[in-house]
Amino acid sequence: MPRGGVLAYAAPAGLGKTTLLAEIRRRAAAKGCTVLSARGGDQEQQVAFHVARQLLQPQLAVASDTELRRQLGSWYDIVGPALGLCTAVAGAPPDPQGLRDGLDWVLTHLAVRRAPLVVVVDDAHWADPESLGWLSAFAPRSEELPMLLVVAYRPDELPDTGEEFTGRRSGQRPLGLEPLTSGAIADLVRDLVGDHADDAFCREYWTVTSGNPFEAVELAAKIRGLGLAPTADGAHELRDLAAAVKGSGLIARLERLGTSTVRLAWACAVLGTEISPQLAGAVAGLGDEAVADCAEHLREARILAGTETLEFVHPLIATSVYKAIPAATRVALHGQAAWCVVDAGLGPTAAARHLLETHPEGDPWVVKELRAAARETLRAGAPDAARRYLARALREPPSHDERAAVLFELGSASLLTEPATTVNHLRAALEEPVSDPALRHGIVYRLSQVLAHSDRLVEASELLARESRLTTDARSRLRMQSEKFMWDAFRADEPDSPARSRRLARLADRLTGRDLTERYVIGLRAWDATLRAEPSAVAVGHAERALEGGLSWADESRGFEVPVLVALTYLYADRPGRAEELFAAGTAEFERQGWRGAHLSFAYTLLGYIRYRRGRLVEAEDFVRAGLRLAERVGPRTPAHWYAVGVMIEVLLARGRVREAEQVSRTHDFGEPFPAAVTFPDSQTVHAELLLALGRTDEAAAELASVGRRLDPRGMRNPAWCPWQLHLALAEVRDTPDRARDTALDAVDRARQYGAPSAIGQALRVTAEVMGGSERVKLLEESVDWLERSPAAYELARSLVALGAALRRGGRTREAAEYLYRGLEAAQTCGADGLGEEARAELAAAGLRPRTLRPAGTDTLTARERAAADLTVRGEDAAVALGTDNATVTLLLSAVYRKLGTDRAGLAQALRHTGREPRESAPHA
């Protein structure tokens, strides 16, 4: 497939960029290329997606709505509003990154379907920030597609969002344009004015125009109109004529055309590009006949061009005319333009850019239009533009009753991009006298959410506590209590966590789950039970209750925290298959909604974490890398970034790539100060695990002890969630073996209390490592026994290798071989390369060769595995029914648990959720 690329031209005004791009468009069309063209406008920079619409709308708007839906698929509701192809549907808007991804898809699709594609953008320095940022980010991809992206801009005016076109990052410098030489000017003069132009005339011509192509062409037109002889005798008149072509000379020439013509030119300068004569006439206060006459005068004067649609002959002319409008008149014309575009049915967004240029006058109509424009623009995925409109509405100012609502909308528009600004606006909104309880409650919910996401959990909790005491509505009070429970659960410094747990338990036990608020409370109860190591069956039972009525991951007013916590409840309870189903559904919601920033980063990262817990380390790494890439676009040290880096370190450590994990930590500044929030996995614990792997035992022990002091007083005792005790025991064993033993045994007790087989098996393995002696083999055998009942393939592989090594050292080579071979095969299947090397070394030390390993299997159950699963669910003796021994059944069921992602307690449900209903009768061997 032909490859494309980027062609950028950077030159000051008037050096021929527009003419050059027009020739590129002509030649591309002549060669059969599909050409997309757009032009930035000085007056349209505030209009979100103005350039993107010019590029893509003509290619898509010709299709019917049905055909458009078919072409765009799931992107229809995401990119359609931004491109003006459809109205926004109800619900939360896409985030800016989600919208960019959608535009990427559309342009890539066009490049493939209509290749070769040439995309031409003139005056990119005036492109709106949303379009320029998108094109700049897309530019590197053009090299992989059959498309050429051509842009032209003035280098001194290009915003930072267009940095990709400067070559500073890619090293591909833009092409510059130079003024014409004296010889080139002479050729141009003789071509445009007459072959008889003499050398003296041409030399003076070059001097007065400085070789600027625009001025040279305009001056030639002026000379032809006056009939000036191109000789040495006429050369002295060139300087005055050249002055009339630009700046004050141009304006003086315009003013000689008459008052009505000047008014039309001013109206066109205010309207910008793609000017409707009727709309320009309405702004100028002229009738149709007057508009036609004035437009003709302006065409003759080479100020305007076009008939059906008017445009300035050159942007320099447009800028000169706009700047010549007296300031007060210019403001009035923008105000008139706003009224006219609304009357013409062009909508509030078209009016908003004009209202931004007007002076505040306390006009309710202005506030109404700006708020409506902000809603449209926000729903189209341009929060920065929406924020500009609302900030202007606030200065109007709105009426006393509206002020809180405008502040709330302004805060909401800033939520994803400027959380600190959001807090200020929402706090200001709460200080206003709010008569509508629903509005006040909405402000409280949004403010608590942004405070929590800014790592200000104490403030979020205190706000909800205060407001819940003030509200008289029982359902609103319940929701505030539920959100307070949630943010308190994340607080590392909560003063009385056990008391909160008791209150939460009492509340959740009496709720039925009749609405979303009640289900959120019940979901929080499931997570609280998980943290406190209540029996896993209790936690899962609450999770099932929370899911009965549904939990949306993409409810803008709620956040996605509780659905995530419910899914993680299943993960830690050894039901990762069920957790993965929930995460897959949540990820699909994010993608449908166009949430492809922090939300999708969390989803991919935690999907990777689930795969890590299942022992699918290669897949885990792929997911986490995708989450980390998205998190890097969100920003460093954000919650999404913390989670992605932390999980990546855990995965790399499990794969045996310790130095790479260290490099990830350094690259992303993963260390103190850690977030104040309790997270999953706990960031400080992950950092200490890395220190331990690097041999920095004392530092690791200090950090892990700090984790214990933070979590234990809060009753967060579940080693399945945060195995800080297990790492601490390994860090303590060298200097204080007795303390290490006690720490590990306490972790075993906590794991048994929780009851998840993987947690018990992992804790027993670590206990064996720190105890040694005659108890070591016994503990490891028990560890393997528990892990064979779990879906934790990597932890099972670790215990198998550890048991094989312990048996070898005890001289029990034959038994050691069985476990080492199994451990090696499991490590290979998991992608745990370091563990595989350890197993090979142990086999070599035993005088054994690693045998040929079987290729990793699939998640499809074999007939015997399926039979064993069905018999187990029905409570029958699988060994008797299958005519085999219990050890074989154990291995069959162990494979089932790993493939389905469940333990014995969740086996029946896992079979149902995966479409494998238990059979009425199982085939016997």
Side-chain angles (χ1 to χ4, degrees), residues 387 407 410-428 446-447 449-456 459 638:
R387 190 169 65 251
L407 283 165
L410 181 55
S412 298
S414 306
L415 180 64
L416 292 174
T417 54
E418 297 184 13
T421 303
T422 300
V423 168
N424 294 335
H425 290 315
L426 295 176
R427 284 201 187 281
R446 182 56 56 87
L447 178 55
Q449 184 181 38
V450 73
L451 285 169
H453 289 173
S454 302
D455 214 21
R456 297 161 67 177
E459 293 176 65
T638 56

Side-chain angles (χ1 to χ4, degrees), residues 582-603:
L582 295 172
F583 267 94
T587 302
E589 274 196 76
F590 291 157
E591 292 178 327
R592 283 195 303 271
Q593 201 73 34
W595 291 1
R596 301 180 68 85
H599 296 86
L600 197 59
S601 173
F602 275 123

Side-chain angles (χ1 to χ4, degrees), residues 284-509:
L286 300 173
D288 290 346
E289 290 187 11
V291 169
D293 290 342
C294 294
E296 184 59 32
H297 294 324
L298 291 167
R299 281 190 288 269
E300 291 173 355
R302 292 184 59 78
I303 292 174
L304 286 183
T307 53
E308 297 287 332
T309 300
L310 302 176
E311 63 178 341
F312 284 92
V313 170
H314 194 277
L316 283 172
I317 297 176
T319 300
S320 295
V321 172
Y322 184 79
K323 289 182 177 179
I325 306 172
T329 304
R330 186 163 61 238
V331 170
L333 285 172
H334 276 295
Q336 178 69 9
W339 280 97
C340 290
V341 296
V342 171
D343 287 345
L346 300 180
T349 301
R353 76 170 179 90
H354 295 292
L355 294 174
L356 290 175
E357 305 298 330
T358 61
H359 295 317
E361 295 181 348
D363 188 339
W365 181 84
V366 172
V367 175
K368 178 174 75 71
E369 293 301 318
L370 286 167
R371 290 179 69 187
R375 285 193 294 271
E376 285 185 1
T377 308
L378 185 63
R379 186 59 191 87
D384 289 342
R387 190 169 65 251
R388 290 195 296 270
Y389 299 153
L390 290 165
R392 172 62 185 82
L394 201 61
R395 292 194 301 271
E396 187 60 18
S399 66
H400 191 66
D401 293 338
E402 274 189 298
R403 182 172 170 80
V406 175
L407 283 165
F408 174 53
E409 292 164 8
L410 181 55
S412 298
S414 306
L415 180 64
L416 292 174
T417 54
E418 297 184 13
T421 303
T422 300
V423 168
N424 294 335
H425 290 315
L426 295 176
R427 284 201 187 281
L430 273 186
E431 291 172 2
E432 296 292 324
V434 183
S435 57
D436 180 5
L439 173 59
R440 184 173 185 87
H441 297 157
I443 296 169
V444 170
Y445 302 143
R446 182 56 56 87
L447 178 55
S448 65
Q449 184 181 38
V450 73
L451 285 169
H453 289 173
S454 302
D455 214 21
R456 297 161 67 177
L457 293 160
V458 175
E459 293 176 65
S461 177
E462 291 174 348
L463 169 68
L464 290 163
R466 182 173 64 252
E467 291 294 327
S468 66
R469 291 192 295 269
L470 296 176
T471 185
T472 58
D473 181 71
R475 302 309 294 176
S476 298
R477 184 182 303 112
L478 179 63
R479 177 171 176 183
M480 289 179 191
Q481 289 173 341
S482 73
E483 300 212 0
K484 184 179 186 304
F485 279 132
M486 178 171 66
W487 301 131
D488 283 343
F490 289 121
R491 284 177 58 185
D493 60 346
E494 187 184 10
D496 195 0
S497 184
R500 175 186 55 80
S501 291
R502 290 191 293 271
R503 292 194 302 274
L504 176 60
R506 287 194 298 269
L507 178 60
D509 288 347

Side-chain angles (χ1 to χ4, degrees), residues 511-597:
L511 298 178
T512 61
R514 59 174 174 160
D515 62 13
L516 198 56
T517 296
E518 291 195 0
R519 293 195 292 276
Y520 267 51
V521 173
I522 296 168
L524 289 168
R525 172 72 179 98
W527 179 245
D528 192 70
T530 298
L531 293 179
R532 296 178 186 284
E534 294 183 37
S536 59
V538 171
V540 168
H542 290 302
E544 293 289 349
R545 289 178 61 213
L547 289 171
E548 284 176 3
L551 289 176
S552 171
W553 289 55
D555 187 325
E556 183 192 19
S557 66
R558 294 276 181 171
F560 62 97
E561 290 82 5
V562 172
V564 165
L565 296 178
V566 169
L568 290 174
T569 296
Y570 286 99
L571 172 65
Y572 293 119
D574 276 348
R575 313 273 185 94
R578 178 64 172 138
E580 194 160 335
E581 290 173 14
L582 295 172
F583 267 94
T587 302
E589 274 196 76
F590 291 157
E591 292 178 327
R592 283 195 303 271
Q593 201 73 34
W595 291 1
R596 301 180 68 85

Side-chain angles (χ1 to χ4, degrees), residues 66-107:
T66 302
E67 175 63 17
L68 195 59
R69 286 180 180 274
R70 187 190 67 77
Q71 287 182 25
L72 298 181
S74 61
W75 293 109
Y76 176 86
D77 289 327
I78 296 171
V79 302
L83 297 177
L85 299 170
C86 64
T87 56
V89 297
D95 62 34
Q97 189 56 58
L99 184 57
R100 280 189 185 181
D101 289 347
L103 293 173
D104 284 355
W105 184 91
V106 172
L107 190 53

Side-chain angles (χ1 to χ4, degrees), residues 233 270 289 769 917:
D233 292 338
V270 165
E289 290 187 11
E769 287 188 37
E917 282 284 350

Side-chain angles (χ1 to χ4, degrees), residues 682-706:
D682 181 74
S683 299
Q684 192 173 7
T685 303
V686 173
H687 188 256
E689 185 181 355
L690 173 60
L691 293 175
L692 194 60
L694 292 169
R696 295 160 62 180
T697 308
D698 292 342
E699 295 172 68
E703 281 204 3
L704 292 163
S706 173

